[in-house]
């Protein structure tokens, strides 16, 4: 099958790129692949949206019925100790990036489904349930993508419902897979796109959606926290948003450059709910959704070169997320618009590379915003939680993001752990089944769909290396950083992979100390199925 443009990924960046292409040139043939069973199936809802880019894409978004129903009404930023919550005074003055006035708390899944409807109305062909398994490369140029085979058993044999993958040819391919996309990773390695860039650093976001009593619901309330329970060397914190009909989105982000191999991001997330500043929001409610996803935190100095022969990177697979704002929707959408315009230039001029993409990025408000935020995240890596917070205030209030230096990211996330024997063990409280839960109970709420007989999509290159490095030196950290209980160590010290539990967070691909684990795309439609509107 041949198209002018093939887009991989049905998130905000990919859908926005598809819409902009058809807005500018209705005659272009545009195909968008989404590995989930439907658009939005792999997106855990509850997010704060800055509507800047949406207004660029659709000035009449209100008339079109965009699902932005809950404006931010109030917000807090708290520094937590074990028992206290200290509000950051003059929040908008000290940290203007956190100013959410004019923003909306949304269901991101519902928003993406709405964007999908707008794209289809313009003539975009959307194929849900098809995973982009490989790049189709001819003569040193990406000429499309290859979808994954379907109907193959764990032994690699064809089952009765076998369907081979297809080659989707394209003049230009836009990769919009989200953080640590497998095709994006291959493009970066094949075309050396990370040359000259700082290492990318990631955070693991684990999220729950709760339904709470109506009398406790505060539509548009936003709360962020940092400090306890993380140690002073680990970047991260919690967020909580009231939205929709009596819904609360709660989550916890742990930077994956943490040092202690005994740390469990899942358990840190669970015990934060026990803090009085968070507990009160859940009492009397019930948990209805659970999920997890990596996000790219590195900022502008960690961006790869986003152009390769035959295509571009956009959205969070490149790293267009503003970490101080804790927002990536409006920035991903803007990168999607710019990518679409650069790709149209390349097609019209019959160029192999969308060479105008980088110049367009650097002349946009997106680049200005990311450049102003560039020093915040690395400050926490350099000076820890308190030093990083102090620097952030100075950078924001005094330099306004225009300091005459750029702090660098010095290590990839997989290089930072210290040996288990030198790290303090962490004692986590037992789940109570009402407020806190274990991973098995949590994964059930992801509504996973993996055929247990399909090939294992988590590839360990060398089990001897796993025993020597992971097990012996770091006490099997994958059994703790995976938020879905995919990895276990047997009584005979063998690695057990429960691939059917995978929620596609990509933390193993990022954090494995020897980069011995590779996340590959499973069969199309596999993975979580998060409900619409939540």
């Amino acid at each position: 099958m041949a198209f002018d443009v093939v887009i991989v990924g049905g998130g905000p960046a990919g859908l926005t790129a598809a819409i902009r292409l058809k807005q500018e040139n209705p005659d272009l043939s545009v195909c968008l692949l989404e590995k989930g069973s439907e658009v939005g199936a792999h997106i855990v809802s509850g997010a704060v949206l800055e509507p800047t880019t949406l207004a660029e894409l659709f000035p009449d978004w209100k008339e079109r019925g965009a699902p932005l129903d809950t404006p931010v009404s109030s917000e807090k930023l708290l520094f937590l100790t074990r028992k206290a919550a200290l509000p950051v005074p003059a929040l908008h003055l000290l940290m203007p990036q956190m100013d959410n006035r004019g923003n909306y708390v949304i269901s991101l899944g519902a928003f993406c489904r709405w964007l999908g409807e707008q794209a289809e109305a313009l003539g975009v062909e959307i194929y849900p349930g098809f995973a982009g398994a490989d790049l189709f490369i001819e003569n040193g140029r990406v000429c499309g993508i290859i979808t994954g085979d379907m109907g193959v058993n764990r032994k690699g044999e064809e089952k009765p419902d076998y369907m081979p993958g297809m080659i989707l040819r394209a003049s230009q391919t836009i990769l919009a897979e989200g953080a640590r996309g497998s095709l994006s990773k291959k493009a970066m390695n094949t075309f050396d796109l990370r040359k000259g860039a700082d290492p990318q650093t990631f955070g693991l976001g684990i999220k729950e959606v709760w339904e709470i009593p109506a009398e406790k619901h505060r539509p548009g309330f936003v709360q962020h926290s940092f400090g306890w329970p993380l140690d002073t060397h680990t970047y991260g914190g919690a967020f909580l948003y009231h939205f929709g009909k009596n819904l609360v989105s709660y989550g916890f982000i742990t930077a994956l450059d943490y040092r202690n191999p005994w740390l469990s991001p899942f358990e840190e997330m669970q015990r934060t709910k026990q803090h009085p500043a968070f507990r009160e929001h859940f009492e009397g409610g019930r948990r209805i959704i659970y999920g997890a996803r990596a996000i790219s935190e590195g900022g502008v100095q960690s961006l790869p070169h986003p152009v390769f022969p035959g295509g571009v990177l956009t959205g969070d697979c490149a790293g267009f997320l503003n970490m101080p704002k804790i927002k990536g929707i409006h920035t991903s959408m803007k990168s999607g618009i710019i990518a679409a315009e650069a790709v149209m230039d390349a097609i019209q001029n019959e160029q192999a590379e969308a060479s105008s993409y980088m110049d367009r990025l650097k002349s946009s408000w997106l680049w200005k915003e990311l450049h102003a935020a560039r020093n915040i995240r690395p400050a926490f890596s350099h000076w820890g939680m308190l030093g990083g917070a102090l620097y952030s205030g100075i950078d924001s209030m005094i330099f306004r993001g225009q300091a005459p230096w750029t702090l660098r990211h010095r290590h990839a996330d997989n290089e930072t752990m210290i040996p288990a024997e030198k790290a303090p063990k962490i004692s986590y409280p037992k789940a109570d089944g009402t407020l806190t839960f274990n991973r098995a109970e949590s994964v059930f709420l992801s509504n996973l769909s993996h055929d247990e007989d399909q090939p294992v999509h988590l590839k360990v290159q060398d089990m001897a290396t796993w025993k020597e490095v992971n097990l012996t030196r770091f006490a099997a950290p994958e059994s703790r950083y995976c938020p879905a209980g995919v990895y276990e160590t047997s009584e005979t010290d063998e690695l057990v992979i429960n691939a059917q539990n995978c929620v596609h967070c990509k933390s193993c691909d990022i954090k494995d100390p020897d980069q011995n684990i590779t996340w590959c795309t499973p069969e199309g439609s596999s993975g979580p199925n998060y409900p619409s509107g939540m």
Side-chain angles (χ1 to χ4, degrees), residues 266 270 287 290 437-446:
F266 174 84
Q270 292 298 317
R287 195 176 64 143
Y290 170 83
F437 304 88
N438 61 38
R439 277 181 280 196
E441 294 172 298
S442 300
V443 170
F444 178 78
L445 295 178
S446 298

Side-chain angles (χ1 to χ4, degrees), residues 60 189 241 245 373 473 525-526 529:
D60 60 343
N189 292 336
Y241 312 138
K245 186 176 181 180
R473 192 182 310 168
S525 293
S526 295
N529 285 281

